[in-house]
Structure formats: structure tokens, C-alpha cells
Amino acid sequence: MSKASNAELPKSVDPYRLAEQNTVLEGVIPLSALARFRESVLGFDEGAACRVRLSFSMDSERRRIVSGELEAPVNLECQRCMGPMATTQNSRFVLGLVTSDEQAQQLPRELEPFLTDEFSADLWAMVEDELLLVLPPFPLHDRNECPAREDLEALEPDAAPAESGKENPFSVLADLKKTKH
Ligand SMILES: [Zn+2]
């Protein structure tokens, strides 16, 4: 993601007009302003912000689309050692703007509905929803970095040490995710 804009993302916009004008918005949202998100994580550095890029457009059937990406530095609680772990959460999403549940049901499956008023959408709430979706339900340090690793190895004497050179399927997955961006 481009590091260009450190300005705050507008909070309230006219989403249908932005879609008609193919507008791209880029900016940041202070994490401290997102109350639901704040309650769902261990914490974050003072002044930490979610970096966001939202691209509004209309498809051939005049559906209003928002393609977005976000990146947020956040501390989660490792569920093995219960200690803090610094992470960066990333997400890409494609939303279809709708003004009613009926419209939401008519969206093609690849579009996630975002219910909004035609003339006013809360972009911060939109981004917060996406941030909450991407948080891992069971965060864990990398095995080699977890302070509880020695306890774990004592519990599993037969477990192969990480140095064995055997490819860990999860690290492959992590690499795939990295290259996607
Ligand atoms: Zn840990």
C-alpha cells in the first residue's frame, strides 16, 4: 500500500456519488477512535492508526462497489503464553453498497453487502467491521518466539524441533498470504 497519505480518512461521505465518480480515498483512522475494535484486542501503540485505501466504482449493472485494503498494527494476546504479541493485520475486501436487506440479498456472492444510507456512509464503521473480521480468533506467537515454547516442548517430547528443516505447512501459508499483497 502506498505510504503517501497520513491524513485522516473522511468519516462520513456520500457513497453513491463517490461511486459514480470512481473516487479513490486514502488515509488513516486512529485506532483509538474505533471502540469495538479497541475492546477486541490487547492494545496498540499510542497514536497507532489503520491505513486504508478505498476505491469506489460502479459495475455494469450499476451496483455501487467499494474495493478496499487496510493495514493496522495491533497487539494481540498469544493464546499459548498469554503474553502480548505485536502483529500487523491486513485485509482486502470488496463490498456492494446496499440500502436495504432486499438489495443485500440480490448481490452476487462475491460481494459482501454494506448497508448504508444512499447519501451518507460511515467509512470508519465500514473499516472497523473489516478489521474485526480479520482478527485471528486464536492468535499465537511463532513457535520459536513464544516464551511458553519450552513448556510446550516439555509437554510434547516427541514433537519435532523447529530446526529439523521440515517445512511447516503454516509457514507456507503465511508466505502465500504475503505474496498476495
Ligand atoms: Zn506466546
Side-chain angles (χ1 to χ4, degrees):
M1 203 180 311
S2 121
K3 304 281 179 210
S5 179
N6 285 315
E8 270 188 9
L9 188 80
K11 188 166 164 37
S12 179
V13 298
D14 180 341
Y16 278 36
R17 196 167 55 92
L18 294 183
E20 281 150 26
Q21 297 173 346
N22 290 312
T23 307
V24 175
L25 294 179
E26 224 174 307
V28 300
I29 302 175
L31 290 178
S32 57
L34 305 178
R36 288 177 296 147
F37 178 73
R38 222 170 48 206
E39 281 168 18
S40 310
V41 300
L42 188 62
F44 38 81
D45 295 345
E46 205 182 325
C50 179
R51 188 170 288 282
V52 190
R53 184 176 197 277
L54 299 175
S55 164
F56 293 77
S57 61
M58 262 200 309
D59 72 5
S60 56
E61 296 181 47
R62 297 187 62 78
R63 284 185 287 250
R64 277 76 172 179
I65 313 287
V66 181
S67 306
E69 50 185 304
L70 63 82
E71 187 181 288
V74 57
N75 300 323
L76 302 176
E77 183 180 68
C78 171
Q79 297 301 297
R80 190 189 289 130
C81 67
M82 308 316 276
M85 66 187 262
T87 69
T88 302
Q89 300 299 319
N90 291 284
S91 176
R92 285 188 174 201
F93 48 92
V94 184
L95 308 175
L97 299 179
V98 293
T99 53
S100 67
D101 287 340
E102 293 73 47
Q103 274 186 14
Q105 279 156 20
Q106 287 161 12
L107 282 181
R109 199 173 303 171
E110 63 272 19
L111 290 177
E112 203 185 311
F114 183 77
L115 192 61
T116 178
D117 187 296
E118 188 170 332
F119 302 106
S120 162
D122 182 342
L123 296 185
W124 289 22
M126 177 192 282
V127 170
E128 185 170 29
D129 286 352
E130 295 304 319
L131 259 176
L132 289 168
L133 277 176
V134 82
L135 286 179
F138 199 75
L140 291 173
H141 282 121
D142 280 349
R143 198 185 167 98
N144 291 337
E145 289 165 11
C146 186
R149 160 174 85 110
E150 282 167 21
D151 301 348
L152 193 76
E153 281 164 2
L155 285 173
E156 305 171 28
D158 297 333
E163 297 75 32
S164 70
K166 211 173 165 191
E167 198 76 66
N168 173 346
F170 292 105
S171 68
V172 172
L173 202 65
D175 287 343
L176 282 177
K177 281 187 181 162
K178 265 181 232 156
T179 51
K180 237 179 75 181
H181 287 280

